[in-house]
Structures are given as structure tokens and as C-alpha cells.
Amino acid sequence: IIEHGLCPKGDGFVKNEVFHPVRTICTSVRVLNGDLPLVSVRTDREIPKDKIFKLMKLIKSLRIEAPVKINDIIYENALGLCNIKATKTINKIS
């Protein structure tokens, strides 16, 4: 696939990107009764690129109650592909 490539990993990367592209998703989820209205989240593994819009639709529908701690699983086994984890701590409003 690659001619004159200098990096030995390049051929494998290109094959995966062409035939089985995957991405890690970083976005945010609405937080209820928190000191901030959103918490940043990400997938705990890469997902197939063709599943991104379906996953984003699911994430957009989520509402979670504060408090939220970094690394909390916000949604387990989303679409059977990954967990959605918090990447920030949000405290509950007193």
C-alpha cells in the first residue's frame, strides 16, 4: 500500500485507517445541580468511525446529577462498544 515509507508502522496504520478507521471521542455531558453545567467526557477506547454519530446522539441525550468525579463511568457499555468516562470533577451546588 505504501511505497517509500520511512516508518515501519506506517503501512499498518494506513491499512487500518483505510479499511477499519477508529476514533476516540471527546465531548461533554450536561450536569444537573453542579457548579458547572457540563462535564467533559471521553470514550475509554477507540470506536469504529461509522458509529460516531450514533454514539454522539446517545451522549447528547444524557443528563447526570452532580457530584461527578474524574474517571467516573457516566455510561457503561455504550452501544456495546465502550464506556463513557468523566475527565473532570464537578461538585454539587450546596
Side-chain angles (χ1 to χ4, degrees):
I1 275 186
I2 299 176
E3 293 181 18
H4 311 294
L6 300 177
C7 177
K9 294 180 182 179
D11 191 45
F13 175 80
V14 170
K15 285 179 184 175
N16 283 338
E17 187 60 24
V18 170
F19 298 111
H20 305 288
V22 292
R23 298 289 184 272
T24 300
I25 304 302
C26 300
T27 187
S28 52
V29 170
R30 185 143 336 254
V31 177
L32 306 173
N33 302 312
D35 58 354
L36 293 172
L38 300 170
V39 63
S40 55
V41 297
R42 65 175 293 167
T43 56
D44 65 348
R45 64 183 62 104
E46 295 174 326
I47 66 163
K49 194 173 173 185
D50 64 347
K51 304 292 185 197
I52 290 174
F53 287 108
K54 195 171 186 179
L55 181 64
M56 287 301 296
K57 185 175 182 180
L58 175 109
I59 292 171
K60 183 179 178 183
S61 72
L62 297 177
R63 304 290 183 270
I64 59 172
E65 188 75 32
V68 181
K69 292 182 183 166
I70 193 167
N71 290 323
D72 279 355
I73 295 178
I74 304 301
Y75 196 97
E76 192 170 350
N77 200 25
L79 304 179
L81 298 171
C82 62
N83 296 319
I84 309 298
K85 294 177 80 173
T87 60
K88 183 176 179 77
T89 295
I90 305 294
N91 297 308
K92 187 173 181 88
I93 296 175
S94 306

